[in-house]
Amino acid sequence: MTLHSLNLTGAAARFLGGIAGATMIAGLASAPAFGLEIKSSDVHPPDYPTVAAVDYMGELLDKWTNGRLTVNIFHSMQLGGEKEALEQVQLGALEMTRVSVGVVGPIVADFNAFNLPYFFRSREHMFNVVDGEIGEELLQKLAEGGLIGLGYMDAGSRSFYNTVHPVRTVEDLKGLKLRVMQNDIFVEMVNALGGNGLPIAYNELIPAMQTGVVDGAENNPPSYESGKHYEIAGFYSLTEHLMVPEILVFSKTVWDTLTPVDQQLIRNASVLAIQKERELWKAREQKSLDALAAAGIEVITDIDKGPFIEATAPVREKYGSDFADILKRAEAVGG
Ligand code: GTR
């Protein structure tokens, strides 16, 4: 039996598990191959679930290969924003990065299916889609963009915050200049809600809010809290308009130089890291909400989402026609 004859497909099969797999990996991991320090970037701080998970991935690789494969994380925006990080990974200057699927849409348009407002019905639905056939197909498509997709992490739901006033209704968003991730779909989403969407890199958001270039932004509780955005924009409303997963991607240029065994070791470690991130995520969300409450931020939760869903329908319709098949299949997925 060879690694190839196993014909691994599907998200679950990315992990070469079981006794046969473990034995094979243990045996082959000692085969001669050069060492590699996998440099990886993340905009978040060290204790954030995505960073902690990639750190764990490094520990596993280090242990499995006696230090031949290691991970060095450039966290806290040390390498700038996510668009730049992706470019570096495409070029092979950086081996790996963990970014939001939000910035992957401009590289492989089908990812915008996951970037549509109010598309996923629930977290369970989102995970069933990304861990199933559709998610796997999209990971494969990343090769066209010079990337190897290792899998999806949890990022909860994104909600609006601003410096001006509490948002309870769609009308409250009218005229607000709101920062979004660098992807037109999000600009159109904010515009459809009556605001003014501005695509700005994550590492430029704080100065943009401080100088009034924008009145606010949108993100999940852990980013809003850990990024200290709440210190500037104290009105946070749980509109939960997006459920965009995180994604871990590897440079195809570098990947193609690796032995099949090292590729499989990296895949195995990433599957366990992703699992860890998802476990850490839930607790982190609550921790962030508690920290916000302790800081005196009143999170607005009593929001009637109906009008928000209705106002963003044109965005789903417009983009939906580009990948109608994916949307139809995703809608049929349970959860
Ligand atoms: C966070 C996400 C980051 C980044 C950021 C943003 O939730 O974890 O990868 O995309 O949002 O808004 O740019």
Side-chain angles (χ1 to χ4, degrees):
M1 182 170 62
T2 66
L3 285 174
H4 295 295
S5 72
L6 287 173
N7 188 22
L8 299 170
T9 53
R14 281 203 303 280
F15 184 78
L16 181 60
I19 295 171
T23 314
M24 192 182 311
I25 288 294
L28 295 177
S30 57
F34 55 87
L36 178 68
E37 180 194 86
I38 301 168
K39 295 183 290 306
S40 187
S41 74
D42 199 303
V43 293
H44 294 304
D47 67 341
Y48 202 88
T50 54
V51 183
V54 173
D55 204 31
Y56 176 60
M57 178 173 171
E59 275 171 35
L60 291 173
L61 286 173
D62 195 336
K63 191 167 77 187
W64 293 344
T65 65
N66 286 322
R68 197 173 51 75
L69 298 180
T70 54
V71 174
N72 185 2
I73 310 181
F74 293 85
H75 53 78
S76 314
M77 303 184 276
Q78 288 172 69
L79 300 185
E82 301 197 323
K83 199 165 160 261
E84 295 76 29
L86 276 177
E87 282 161 10
Q88 295 299 306
V89 173
Q90 286 176 301
L91 290 171
L94 186 64
E95 284 77 21
M96 193 166 79
T97 188
R98 192 293 310 160
V99 293
S100 167
V101 159
V103 289
V104 179
I107 298 178
V108 174
D110 283 356
F111 274 96
N112 278 335
F114 301 163
N115 291 332
L116 287 171
Y118 296 109
F119 175 64
F120 291 116
R121 294 188 294 271
S122 62
R123 215 167 199 151
E124 198 195 348
H125 181 220
M126 187 270 286
F127 279 126
N128 287 344
V129 171
V130 301
D131 290 340
E133 262 178 33
I134 301 171
E136 185 60 29
E137 274 168 31
L138 294 199
L139 290 182
Q140 301 290 338
K141 279 202 177 179
L142 281 172
E144 295 164 14
L147 301 168
I148 297 292
L150 293 176
Y152 304 92
M153 296 180 181
D154 200 353
S157 299
R158 299 173 73 101
S159 294
F160 290 109
Y161 47 92
N162 76 91
T163 58
V164 185
H165 57 217
V167 168
R168 290 196 166 82
T169 64
V170 174
E171 288 67 42
D172 294 332
L173 286 171
K174 199 168 168 36
L176 288 182
K177 288 175 283 172
L178 299 166
R179 174 269 173 183
V180 290
M181 286 184 277
Q182 291 159 294
N183 182 335
D184 290 346
I185 199 167
F186 304 129
V187 173
E188 290 177 40
M189 172 191 77
V190 170
N191 295 352
L193 288 162
N196 184 1
L198 290 152
I200 294 176
Y202 194 64
N203 57 324
E204 287 162 11
L205 173 56
I206 294 267
M209 287 198 293
Q210 276 165 340
T211 55
V213 169
V214 292
D215 302 309
E218 45 87 56
N219 221 314
N220 51 45
S223 292
Y224 175 61
E225 178 263 319
S226 70
K228 306 239 179 295
H229 304 165
Y230 69 90
E231 289 179 359
I232 309 166
F235 299 110
Y236 190 41
S237 309
L238 294 190
T239 48
E240 299 183 317
H241 51 272
L242 287 173
M243 203 181 284
V244 178
E246 315 281 24
I247 188 165
L248 187 62
V249 293
F250 204 94
S251 167
K252 186 168 184 311
T253 312
V254 180
W255 187 262
D256 290 343
T257 67
L258 301 177
T259 63
V261 173
D262 281 357
Q263 292 176 348
Q264 192 59 50
L265 287 168
I266 292 169
R267 283 201 186 279
N268 283 5
S270 74
V271 169
L272 296 177
I274 284 166
Q275 208 174 305
K276 174 147 216 107
E277 194 273 352
R278 293 183 189 184
E279 282 159 25
L280 293 173
W281 182 260
K282 282 226 143 124
R284 178 60 197 235
E285 256 181 348
Q286 192 51 51
K287 202 177 144 207
S288 293
L289 288 168
D290 293 347
L292 292 171
I297 301 291
E298 190 206 334
V299 179
I300 298 158
T301 54
D302 58 333
I303 290 180
D304 173 11
K305 290 187 189 152
F308 288 84
I309 297 173
E310 211 176 296
T312 50
V315 183
R316 284 186 297 279
E317 276 152 29
K318 178 182 163 189
Y319 281 84
S321 60
D322 293 346
F323 28 77
D325 175 58
I326 297 182
L327 296 185
K328 207 167 132 216
R329 284 164 60 210
E331 267 158 28
V333 171

